[in-house]
């Protein structure tokens, strides 16, 4: 097979890949110097859209509307953009072998790609119940959500199965967002969560659970999916719980976590905490190889520890940092180390929350967290060693969200927890 050579190769076609391509273009790349190799059939897009608006019954977003970099208010990079910039988009191409010493990648069809500098942006894949050999987990109409093909399959079944009973397995971000989207489609939705929503504290989780129940979502606690029963047509019809209960289901959506796609590089590069170990410039232990986004375990400078972060905000920022570091190295210049403030957010129904910092230490709850309130607005501060380390806010304005980000970054000292609870968001707003 013919061999293709590039100065730079970005391996992966998700959010991090798209933002890295934009950063390369900002710094200037010659035509034919840069390639993106992706197993997906479309140019990089804002992945969070898939678990939010993509599944809505009215005016759902569709490509090309949410290609990167619209999620951060930037230019939408259509396939034509890559062509104009001389960046080769190699889509529907799965790499099955990576030889970092030889600077070579080989695809499933036998094509060879050579590079001088590699940016690993392979992201994560969903954890599947079939991985654990859960009986019946291969039945039809059991879905996962990671890529646009997964979302399209879900959209098809949403249209074809009106008034269906849906069971969502998992109480993390994906499970919570998908349950809301499916309920908005007027399905009978049940959520299977082992204990409670996986959201920070019992107070926070309790609010969202009550709110969801108020919206008509059934919360099934205290057990896990132990198996599935299929009908004669092969479609799922029941979820069997470990405690013996049985729940009817026409559709099952599973969101029980993700794992970073690092298998291609095992034994070739240093790893830590489940990811590829990098420095503050996203350089790995192998010269000319960088890792960004979900796969990177990097120094979280403000907490003096190594951490791997699965979130779109870090995917965007790590991509930009790595490319800046690559170009600075070529020019003999220096840049600042990555200094990331952890950030997570979600939107469900009429709710919208943001979290910044680290959820360690004792907590202080403030505001109105009554699910029956017409406009609930509340938050939590995390306090460690007398300082605020993290902040969460539901229902905040853009200014208030900026304030909790600042307070998590500055880490002000706290004299009285009672006074902090009384002041609430006003405390952050004056920092």
């Amino acid at each position: 097979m013919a061999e293709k050579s590039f100065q730079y190769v970005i391996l992966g076609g998700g959010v991090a890949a798209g933002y890295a391509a934009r950063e390369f273009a900002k710094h200037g790349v010659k035509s034919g110097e840069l390639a993106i190799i992706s197993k997906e059939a479309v140019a990089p897009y804002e992945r969070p859209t898939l678990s939010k608006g993509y599944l809505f019954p009215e005016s759902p977003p569709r490509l090309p509307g949410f290609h990167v970099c619209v999620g951060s208010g930037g230019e939408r990079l259509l396939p034509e953009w890559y062509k104009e910039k001389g960046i080769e988009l190699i889509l529907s191409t799965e790499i099955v072998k990576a030889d970092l010493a030889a600077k070579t990648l080989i695809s499933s069809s036998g094509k060879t790609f050579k590079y001088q500098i590699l940016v690993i942006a392979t992201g994560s894949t969903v954890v599947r119940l079939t991985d654990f050999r859960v009986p019946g987990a291969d039945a039809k109409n059991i879905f996962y959500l990671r890529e646009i093909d997964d979302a399209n399959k879900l959209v098809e079944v949403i249209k074809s199965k009106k008034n269906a009973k849906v069971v969502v397995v998992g109480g993390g971000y994906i499970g919570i967002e998908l349950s809301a989207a499916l309920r908005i489609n007027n399905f009978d939705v049940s959520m299977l969560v082992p204990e409670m929503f996986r959201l920070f504290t019992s107070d926070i989780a309790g609010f969202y659970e009550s709110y969801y129940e108020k919206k008509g979502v059934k919360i099934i606690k205290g057990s896990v999916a132990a198996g599935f029963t299929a009908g004669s047509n092969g479609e799922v019809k029941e979820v069997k719980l470990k405690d013996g209960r049985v729940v009817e289901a026409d559709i099952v959506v599973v969101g029980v976590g993700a794992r970073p796609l690092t298998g291609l590089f095992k034994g070739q590069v240093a790893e830590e905490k489940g990811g590829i170990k990098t420095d503050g410039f996203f350089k790995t232990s192998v010269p000319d190889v960088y890792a960004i986004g979900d796969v990177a375990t990097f120094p979280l400078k403000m907490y003096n520890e190594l951490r791997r972060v699965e979130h779109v905000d870090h995917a965007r920022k790590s991509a930009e940092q790595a490319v800046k570091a690559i170009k600075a190295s070529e020019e003999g210049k220096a840049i600042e180390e990555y200094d990331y403030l952890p950030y997570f957010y979600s939107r469900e129904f009429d709710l919208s929350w943001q979290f910044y910092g680290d959820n360690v230490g004792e907590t202080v709850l403030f505001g109105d967290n009554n699910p029956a309130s017409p406009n609930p607005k509340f938050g939590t501060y995390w306090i460690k060693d007398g300082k605020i380390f993290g902040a969460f806010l539901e229902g905040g304005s853009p200014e208030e969200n900026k304030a909790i980000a600042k307070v998590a970054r500055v880490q002000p000292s706290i004299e009285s927890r009672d006074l902090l609870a009384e002041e609430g968001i006003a405390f952050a707003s004056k920092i």
Side-chain angles (χ1 to χ4, degrees):
M1 297 291 281
E3 183 178 286
K4 282 197 165 188
S5 295
F6 301 94
Q7 176 67 19
Y8 314 102
V9 167
I10 300 167
L11 181 55
V15 172
Y19 279 76
R22 182 180 69 167
E23 194 65 28
F24 269 116
K26 277 184 188 175
H27 287 269
V29 283
K30 294 174 186 171
S31 183
E33 271 193 336
L34 171 63
I36 292 177
I37 304 176
S38 172
K39 70 181 180 67
E40 291 197 70
V42 296
Y45 55 89
E46 300 284 1
R47 207 178 292 282
T49 304
L50 300 183
S51 61
K52 298 180 177 71
Y54 201 84
L55 303 178
F56 287 0
E58 295 180 18
S59 304
R62 290 290 182 265
L63 289 177
F66 59 96
H67 280 298
V68 298
C69 300
V70 295
S72 59
E75 179 187 0
R76 185 176 52 164
L77 309 186
L78 299 172
E80 300 85 74
W81 179 89
Y82 297 89
K83 196 171 183 179
E84 287 167 8
K85 300 295 182 185
I87 299 168
E88 191 158 344
L89 263 182
I90 303 169
L91 304 176
S92 302
T93 301
E94 184 178 7
I95 297 299
V96 294
K97 185 180 179 185
D99 186 335
L100 300 185
K103 295 190 171 185
T104 301
L105 306 171
I106 299 173
S107 76
S108 56
S109 63
K111 289 179 182 172
T112 298
F113 302 95
K114 303 281 284 185
Y115 62 83
Q116 292 306 308
I117 293 175
L118 177 67
V119 180
I120 300 169
T122 43
S124 296
T125 187
V126 293
V127 172
R128 295 177 181 271
L129 297 181
T130 47
D131 298 341
F132 304 102
R133 298 179 182 175
V134 175
D138 56 352
K140 293 177 186 174
N141 293 340
I142 296 179
F143 298 94
Y144 299 83
L145 184 63
R146 178 66 190 177
E147 299 175 354
I148 198 158
D149 284 350
D150 302 324
N152 287 335
K153 288 173 188 172
L154 253 179
V155 168
E156 282 176 26
V157 82
I158 285 170
K159 288 177 179 175
S160 66
K161 286 191 174 287
K162 300 295 180 187
N163 305 312
K165 293 183 188 301
V166 181
V167 174
V168 176
V169 179
Y173 299 137
I174 289 291
I176 291 167
E177 291 181 354
L178 286 175
S179 294
L182 291 162
R183 185 68 192 121
I184 289 167
N185 277 281
N186 209 30
F187 285 123
D188 178 336
V189 179
S190 298
M191 283 189 76
L192 177 57
V193 296
E195 294 175 21
M196 60 171 53
F197 281 15
R198 298 203 311 271
L199 286 176
F200 304 109
T201 72
S202 57
D203 284 327
I204 293 171
F207 166 83
Y208 290 99
E209 286 180 9
S210 297
Y211 190 93
Y212 269 52
E213 287 173 333
K214 183 168 152 262
K215 288 287 188 181
V217 177
K218 301 180 189 76
I219 312 291
I220 303 169
K221 292 186 188 180
S223 194
V224 295
F228 301 88
T229 305
S232 57
N233 59 0
E235 295 182 357
V236 69
K237 66 175 188 178
E238 290 175 337
V239 183
K240 295 178 178 178
L241 308 191
K242 195 174 182 181
D243 63 10
R245 285 180 287 174
V246 176
V247 183
E248 284 184 63
D250 303 301
I251 301 168
V252 172
V253 187
V254 181
V256 291
R259 55 181 176 80
L261 286 167
T262 59
L264 284 171
F265 316 103
K266 290 286 180 191
Q268 301 185 72
V269 64
E271 294 187 52
E272 186 102 16
K273 295 185 176 179
I276 296 170
K277 187 179 179 183
T278 76
D279 63 12
F281 308 100
F282 294 98
K283 288 194 287 187
T284 71
S285 60
V286 178
D288 300 324
V289 177
Y290 294 72
I292 58 176
D294 289 4
V295 297
T297 300
F298 63 96
L300 196 53
K301 190 175 178 181
M302 63 186 298
Y303 303 128
N304 194 29
E305 66 174 71
L306 286 171
R307 194 176 293 187
R308 194 174 66 79
V309 174
E310 293 178 4
H311 194 265
V312 65
D313 182 62
H314 165 65
R316 293 167 180 155
K317 290 175 179 172
S318 61
E320 291 167 353
Q321 172 74 355
V323 176
K324 285 173 183 170
I326 289 167
K327 300 309 283 186
S329 176
E330 290 174 347
E331 295 163 8
K333 296 177 182 176
I335 64 167
E336 292 290 319
E337 278 190 305
Y338 194 56
D339 189 8
Y340 185 65
L341 173 68
Y343 165 54
F344 300 93
Y345 71 90
S346 190
R347 294 186 295 273
E348 313 92 10
F349 296 115
D350 301 320
L351 303 175
S352 176
W353 60 259
Q354 294 194 11
F355 168 84
Y356 293 90
D358 210 7
N359 55 326
V360 293
E362 298 178 318
T363 57
V364 172
L365 179 71
F366 61 86
D368 175 12
N369 67 332
N370 182 352
S373 294
N375 295 297
K377 182 176 178 177
F378 69 97
T380 296
Y381 293 116
W382 279 260
I383 302 165
K384 181 184 173 186
D385 301 329
K387 295 180 178 180
I388 291 181
F389 266 63
F392 169 97
L393 184 62
E394 164 61 50
S397 66
E399 294 75 21
E400 289 168 335
N401 288 327
K402 283 179 184 174
I404 64 163
K406 186 176 180 182
V407 86
R409 170 69 77 179
V410 173
Q411 298 181 355
S413 297
I414 299 302
E415 293 178 8
S416 165
R417 291 178 60 193
D418 291 339
L419 185 59
L420 182 62
E422 190 178 314
E423 284 193 72
I425 187 61
F427 176 86
S429 298
K430 66 185 183 183
I431 296 299

